[in-house]
């Protein structure tokens, strides 16, 4: 049976159309898949590059020495460590550590006479808080020597019952008191001599301000729970006198 020419032509046209349609679709699908694959590879390569850069930076930072010292050779985080170290002296030891500083306060009270004359409120405070101890100290014979020996040798003899911080502060108070020996000897040597007040007053005030500053620093540090070990030379001598334990 012979098909009409129109039917054959229509079948051929339909076959070609289907071929072109499916071929175009497959080609478009392949192109889209190729583009997605390329984008995925680019993203993966970018992530690998970033990871390699971070690793190289980390290695460089590890290789570079970390300098935590300032221009004076002190740790840069000194203030932070100070805050973390708060509590070196704990509990009742804070009060016990303050007691030995009564010795330099009593011995050096006479050097503040000019300051007390110029600052009456300070003189009233001294009269109420410190003067009774000073009068009792001078009223009993040899009390000064007894008190000195107590703070100097007592903590060493009672090592088992006193903490190292208390013994350290006792030794430091002794060394501060020893500093007052030289100006006291000079004052006794010139007693009765005619010395200009313009020379005597600033010298006496300097001694009072010096030892009072050391005592105030030490007492306030003890009350805060911080060991007062930053006085030049004196704290080092106190450490050596206290011993390692």
């Amino acid at each position: 049976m012979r098909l009409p020419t129109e039917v054959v032509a229509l079948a051929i046209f339909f076959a070609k159309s289907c071929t072109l349609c499916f071929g175009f679709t497959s080609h478009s699908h392949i192109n889209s898949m190729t583009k997605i694959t390329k984008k995925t590879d680019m993203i993966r390569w970018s992530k690998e590059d970033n990871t390699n850069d971070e690793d190289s930076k980390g290695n460089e930072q590890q290789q570079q020495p970390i300098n935590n010292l300032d221009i004076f050779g002190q740790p840069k985080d000194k203030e932070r460590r100070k805050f973390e170290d708060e509590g070196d002296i704990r509990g009742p030891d804070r009060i016990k550590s303050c007691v030995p500083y009564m010795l330099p306060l009593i011995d050096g009270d006479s050097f503040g006479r000019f300051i007390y004359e110029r600052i009456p409120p300070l003189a009233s405070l001294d009269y109420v808080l410190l003067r009774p101890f000073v009068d009792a100290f001078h009223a009993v014979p040899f009390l000064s020597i007894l008190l000195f020996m107590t703070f100097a040798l007592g903590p060493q003899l009672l090592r088992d019952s006193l903490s190292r911080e208390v013994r350290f502060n006792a030794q430091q108070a002794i060394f501060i008191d020893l500093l007052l020996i030289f100006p006291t000897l000079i004052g006794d040597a010139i007693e009765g001599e005619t010395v200009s007040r313009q020379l005597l007053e600033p010298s006496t005030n300097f001694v009072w301000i010096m030892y009072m500053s050391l005592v105030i620093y030490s007492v306030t540090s003890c009350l805060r729970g911080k060991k007062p070990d930053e006085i030049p030379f004196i704290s080092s001598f106190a450490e050596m006198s206290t011993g390692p334990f």
Side-chain angles (χ1 to χ4, degrees), residues 54-225:
E54 291 177 357
D55 293 339
S56 61
K57 290 180 180 179
N59 293 331
E60 290 177 358
Q61 291 178 354
Q62 291 178 356
Q63 293 176 358
Q64 293 178 355
I66 300 175
N67 184 12
N68 289 328
L69 301 179
D70 57 16
I71 59 175
F72 301 103
Q74 300 296 325
K76 293 180 181 178
D77 59 345
K78 185 176 180 181
E79 294 299 327
R80 180 179 62 83
R81 290 191 294 105
K82 277 185 175 181
F83 180 78
E84 292 175 353
D85 290 342
E86 290 290 330
D88 292 341
I89 306 175
R90 302 180 183 276
D93 287 345
R94 298 188 179 189
I95 303 299
K96 294 178 182 178
S97 299
C98 297
V99 174
Y101 293 101
M102 285 296 296
L103 182 62
L105 280 177
I106 294 172
D107 283 340
D109 184 67
S110 59
F111 291 100
R113 60 183 182 274
F114 294 114
I115 293 179
Y116 299 148
E117 289 179 5
R118 295 187 179 275
I119 308 176
L122 191 60
S124 301
L125 189 65
D126 174 76
Y127 183 80
V128 173
L129 298 180
L130 195 58
R131 180 58 58 179
F133 296 98
V134 174
D135 294 340
F137 185 79
H138 293 294
V140 180
F142 305 108
L143 181 60
S144 59
I145 298 177
L146 180 61
L147 192 61
F148 182 89
M149 298 301 293
T150 300
F151 289 135
L153 301 178
Q156 301 301 325
L157 299 176
L158 301 175
R159 298 178 68 92
D160 297 334
S161 59
L162 295 177
S163 65
R164 188 181 187 279
E165 289 74 21
V166 175
R167 290 185 281 113
F168 166 82
N169 282 282
Q171 297 301 312
Q172 183 158 272
I174 291 297
F175 282 110
I176 294 176
D177 190 65
L178 289 175
L179 289 178
L180 298 174
I181 291 179
F182 300 104
T184 301
L185 293 176
I186 295 174
D188 293 340
I190 63 175
E191 187 176 1
E193 301 291 337
T194 303
V195 181
S196 173
R197 179 162 178 159
Q198 284 74 17
L199 177 62
L200 184 60
E201 182 174 354
S203 302
T204 305
N205 291 347
F206 172 78
V207 175
W208 186 89
I209 293 172
M210 179 197 67
Y211 94 87
M212 188 62 71
S213 300
L214 298 180
V215 170
I216 291 176
Y217 159 73
S218 300
V219 171
T220 54
S221 297
C222 292
L223 293 177
R224 289 171 49 221

Side-chain angles (χ1 to χ4, degrees), residues 42 131 227:
M42 292 176 65
R131 180 58 58 179
K227 185 178 179 182

